[in-house]
Amino acid sequence: MRSARSFIGVIAAVAAFACTSDVADAQLQIPPELTPPEAKPAPHKPPAPKPAVAKPAAAKPAEPAKPTASIGAPDLAYGAFQRGYFLTAYNEATKRIEATGDRKAMTLLGELYANGLGIPKNDTKAAEWYKLASDRGDPDAMFALAMFNISGRAGLNDRNEAVRLLAASAKLGNAPAAYDLGLLYLEGRQFPQDFARAAELFRSAAQGGSSEAMYALATLYKEGRGVTKDDAEAARLLGTSALADNIDAEVEYGIALFNGTGVAKDETAAARILRRAALRGSPIAQNRLARILATGRGAAADPVAAIKWHTIAKAGGLGDTFLDEFASKQSAETRAAGEAAAKPWLHVQSRS
């Protein structure tokens, strides 16, 4: 099930891969006289898959694949699940299983037990339902069972079985499974490292709608790993992933627009995109926005706002000696105004 989306153990793979990237590609091309060498921003790293198996109770569960219903018959179980009537979903799924042995209804019961929706949480029962549905060929159940094996839920802890299930699920078109399997090939521990195979799997997942896969594939095109280097295709994928609300892609696409890398140069559009990502909390976007506001490229120069976003980015771990020097040259009143504007953000960060 997609709510089980997690890949503990491959986070290091993506981070290690990102560290091989050329930093220059990720920074805004501010005129040389304004960017001393020591001010070069840190590289942006591809996103690690986000553990969701142990998600907070308040998180909204992902929707399971829709159970199969007879032609013309309303899907009461799935409809109830969508509306948050989880006990009704449980009862209707149970009826469907008893009547037809429907594998999607089995997967739905696994989801309800795995997350304690409408019924007490029970990993053992969740795994049993996922196993029944998986044995009957349901790709979502295969994926969920793979995640249980990776995270050790319900006493399952077989990485080889997890990989087998991921491969089977990916073959049946499950996008998250293809993405996570691609990460394994990127990591190079479960299998020999194979960028071409990773790219193939990311492409399959991207075609299935995975914004994470779009971003990962864009990174491979940008670096020319496993595919022929193609800045235009990288930019296209970043733009599509950004439209799907992937903040990492949003940042990278904004930078590509600013620099004209693989896409027509548009500093004004880049500034809008980076501002949006900055407001969503990306330190990289906050840093790039501060540079834009300091230099007046893409947006009107605004020293107070530049200092504000630089201060916020620094609190998020992204320092910049160029912006430090820029701030030091402003009046005491301007610096104070920028720092005051940053305080509400810093207060929120300190509480998170």
Side-chain angles (χ1 to χ4, degrees), residues 86-169:
F86 300 123
L87 185 56
T88 299
Y90 173 87
N91 292 330
E92 293 298 331
T94 300
K95 290 177 186 177
R96 190 183 298 279
I97 292 168
E98 292 173 348
T100 66
D102 188 272
R103 67 189 186 187
K104 290 296 184 184
M106 294 175 183
T107 304
L108 179 55
L109 287 188
E111 178 74 1
L112 294 171
Y113 275 116
N115 294 281
L117 302 173
I119 53 177
K121 183 175 179 179
N122 189 318
D123 282 355
T124 299
K125 287 186 177 180
E128 289 172 354
W129 283 115
Y130 286 147
K131 180 67 165 57
L132 286 170
S134 174
D135 289 346
R136 287 160 175 76
D138 183 62
D140 292 308
M142 294 172 187
F143 180 73
L145 203 56
M147 294 301 100
F148 267 44
N149 272 281
I150 288 167
S151 60
R153 292 181 67 175
L156 302 177
N157 189 25
D158 188 335
R159 190 174 175 87
N160 290 328
E161 175 65 2
V163 170
R164 185 192 71 78
L165 288 164
L166 283 177
S169 182

Side-chain angles (χ1 to χ4, degrees), residues 5-7 10 13-14 49 143 146-147 150 159-172 174-205 213:
R5 185 141 205 292
S6 154
F7 217 110
V10 295
V14 184
F143 180 73
M147 294 301 100
I150 288 167
R159 190 174 175 87
N160 290 328
E161 175 65 2
V163 170
R164 185 192 71 78
L165 288 164
L166 283 177
S169 182
K171 189 174 181 179
L172 291 171
N174 184 285
Y179 171 66
D180 283 345
L181 193 60
L183 289 175
L184 282 177
Y185 278 101
L186 202 66
E187 177 189 37
R189 286 196 291 179
Q190 191 71 26
F191 312 111
Q193 190 175 59
D194 188 336
F195 290 109
R197 178 60 176 149
E200 180 183 342
L201 287 160
F202 290 152
R203 185 175 294 106
S204 175

Side-chain angles (χ1 to χ4, degrees), residues 34-58:
L34 297 181
T35 311
E38 65 272 20
K40 184 178 288 186
H44 180 52
K45 297 181 179 180
K50 301 171 183 176
V53 173
K55 64 187 177 184

Side-chain angles (χ1 to χ4, degrees), residues 183-236:
L183 289 175
L184 282 177
Y185 278 101
L186 202 66
E187 177 189 37
R189 286 196 291 179
Q190 191 71 26
F191 312 111
Q193 190 175 59
D194 188 336
F195 290 109
R197 178 60 176 149
E200 180 183 342
L201 287 160
F202 290 152
R203 185 175 294 106
S204 175
Q207 290 170 348
S210 168
S211 65
E212 293 92 344
M214 294 172 196
Y215 177 75
L217 184 57
T219 302
L220 293 179
Y221 272 111
K222 183 178 176 182
E223 299 296 328
R225 294 177 182 268
V227 292
T228 301
K229 180 178 171 63
D230 188 335
D231 287 337
E233 180 63 7
R236 185 190 71 78

